[in-house]
Amino acid sequence: MAATADLLSGVAELVKSRVPAADLDERDPDYIRESLPRLWLLASLYFRAEVRGLGNVPDEGPVLLVGNHSGGNLTPDTGVFTLAFSTYFGVERVFHQLAHNLVLSMPGLSFLRKYGTVAASHDNARKALQAGAAVLVYPGGDYEVHRPSWQGRRVDFGGRKGFLRLALDERVPIVPVVSIGGQETALFLSRGERLAKGLALDRLFRLKVLPISIAPPWGLNVGDMLGHVPLPAKITIEALPPIDLRREFGADPDLDEAYDHLVRLMQETLDALAAERRFPVLG
Amino acid sequence: MRVESKIEITAPPALVWEYVSDPSRYLDFMSGITRWEVVGAKRIGLGARYRMLLRVGSAEVGGLIEVVEFARAADLAWTSITGIDQRGRWRLRAGHEGRSTVTTLRLSYGVAGSGIWGWLADKVAAPTVRGHLRRSLQQLKRQVEHEQLRSAAAERRRSRMGAA
């Protein structure tokens, strides 16, 4: 037992050491531009993606894009939205995405930093917003992204409200970004919360889940640490009109009220997007 | 990748030119265009800049473009400043006894440095882009010819009223 604990601690230290220090300058617009055709092929042919409402994102200035998160550790929503944002506003507009530490420390995923992906933390988000960037955050994070497939049409931030405080402190508008289809890229069975707690993953890696899914090429996939081949589910994303928290909820907004409002708004949009779909995966 | 479409419009080049040189009309007749906005002080002519977006597959592509050739009732060409690399051209040539206009719309596009994936994406996008160009020309023809008929009818009405 002690040996297992030592092993886990060792792995945790290794992961921590691999999490790169956030350097916003690692974003490489030329790299993004040159990779757009690749992303476009994947989004257009494989995921038949559709992104609507980008005109709702303010044309300039910092903005906090708040999305619901789907698709396990390989989330097609982020790639599709990054493509759409980069072609719509141009790669010259600085755009950062916040990702879980584990994603950034995984071998082979260092290229994400060139797209502007930084470890999810308030400090990194603040730094990016203060630099005038658009920042995409998924409050639900690992909790939402591994929800069971039958909850795929539910916005579930798990009560995380830190993004509201961030938007208030930095005085930036929030643009809700609602996506559907990601949770149909595998059969997600359980978040495996008890398993994660039993193995102390929450303490060691900030991981509250150890997801269990059925996904190619593994079949039964526990942890999704090596990723999986996502099924070609149709992805639809819609950006909603911006929300100025102080204008809508007063000078000192009640975070619970703002949170409920935002989640309700996103859930209604998700319901509308779900109503457009006739079949899982096919869309 | 270069795609092109051509159509004969029963109207003189000067009338067709009024449409293709006016940025405020682009959203009315250009298929797939979701944005065509003037950027800067110059609205029309050499050096005028526009922000344009064209829906192709999963993305709206385009960027900032600048007019680099502006020969009245003949040629209008633009090139990209930001966004994907593109060069477009309207080419108007007088057709049958100057009463029609052979109108060509050309678009070369790509992303320099994108390698094999860029080449493949260009090929895959070509039918969609070609379809947009073809529909744009058909819509332009319909609008210009309709406008010509409307003007002629208005002229006839005026002369009848003058005679009465």
Side-chain angles (χ1 to χ4, degrees), chain A residues 33-38 40-41 43-45 47-52 54-55 59 80 83-84 87-90 92, chain B residues 34-35 37 51 53 55-62 82-85 110-114 117-118 120-121 124-125:
Chain A
R33 187 173 183 277
E34 285 162 11
S35 68
L36 288 178
R38 205 161 56 222
W40 181 83
L41 284 166
S44 300
L45 300 184
F47 293 114
R48 293 157 291 127
E50 194 183 334
V51 182
R52 310 168 184 167
L54 279 170
D59 272 341
V80 167
L83 164 75
T87 57
Y88 191 91
F89 292 105
E92 295 79 14
Chain B
T34 58
R35 206 176 252 225
E37 294 170 348
R51 183 173 174 229
L53 290 169
R55 181 168 285 287
V56 185
S58 291
E60 290 169 76
V61 296
T82 63
I84 64 157
D85 301 311
V111 177
S114 56
W117 294 107
L120 190 60
V124 171

Side-chain angles (χ1 to χ4, degrees), chain A residues 201-218:
Chain A
L201 298 181
D202 52 343
R203 270 190 301 110
L204 296 169
F205 306 111
R206 283 178 53 207
L207 267 184
K208 294 184 172 49
V209 296
L210 188 63
I212 301 164
S213 61
I214 295 176
W218 317 111

Side-chain angles (χ1 to χ4, degrees), chain B residues 27-82:
Chain B
L27 284 176
D28 295 336
F29 71 84
M30 288 288 279
S31 167
I33 290 287
T34 58
R35 206 176 252 225
W36 196 286
E37 294 170 348
V38 177
V39 176
K42 191 161 189 178
R43 200 175 153 270
I44 293 176
L46 202 62
R49 288 185 169 192
Y50 310 114
R51 183 173 174 229
M52 58 79 66
L53 290 169
L54 174 73
R55 181 168 285 287
V56 185
S58 291
E60 290 169 76
V61 296
L64 184 65
I65 58 170
E66 182 175 315
V67 175
V68 290
E69 206 178 318
F70 193 82
R72 283 190 189 282
D75 279 277
L76 189 156
W78 68 84
T79 190
S80 54
I81 306 290
T82 63

Side-chain angles (χ1 to χ4, degrees), chain B residues 4-153:
Chain B
E4 179 180 303
S5 195
K6 196 182 274 192
I7 203 166
E8 184 158 4
I9 299 175
T10 317
L15 185 57
V16 180
W17 180 256
E18 272 182 36
Y19 279 74
V20 302
S21 62
D22 182 356
S24 65
R25 294 183 193 255
Y26 272 59
L27 284 176
D28 295 336
F29 71 84
M30 288 288 279
S31 167
I33 290 287
T34 58
R35 206 176 252 225
W36 196 286
E37 294 170 348
V38 177
V39 176
K42 191 161 189 178
R43 200 175 153 270
I44 293 176
L46 202 62
R49 288 185 169 192
Y50 310 114
R51 183 173 174 229
M52 58 79 66
L53 290 169
L54 174 73
R55 181 168 285 287
V56 185
S58 291
E60 290 169 76
V61 296
L64 184 65
I65 58 170
E66 182 175 315
V67 175
V68 290
E69 206 178 318
F70 193 82
R72 283 190 189 282
D75 279 277
L76 189 156
W78 68 84
T79 190
S80 54
I81 306 290
T82 63
I84 64 157
D85 301 311
Q86 59 165 309
R87 191 177 168 85
R89 175 178 293 274
W90 286 104
R91 194 173 155 87
L92 312 183
R93 294 294 179 265
H96 187 62
E97 293 177 357
R99 282 184 299 210
S100 70
T101 307
V102 178
T103 307
T104 307
L105 177 55
R106 242 179 235 162
L107 190 67
S108 307
Y109 63 89
V111 177
S114 56
I116 186 84
W117 294 107
W119 175 83
L120 190 60
D122 292 351
K123 291 276 181 205
V124 171
T128 308
V129 178
R130 198 174 288 118
H132 281 319
L133 299 194
R134 201 176 52 242
R135 280 190 294 278
S136 297
L137 286 177
Q138 283 162 352
Q139 284 166 187
L140 175 68
K141 177 182 166 72
R142 194 162 55 85
Q143 287 190 18
V144 173
E145 291 180 354
H146 179 79
E147 172 60 23
Q148 185 160 259
L149 288 173
R150 200 192 59 76
S151 305

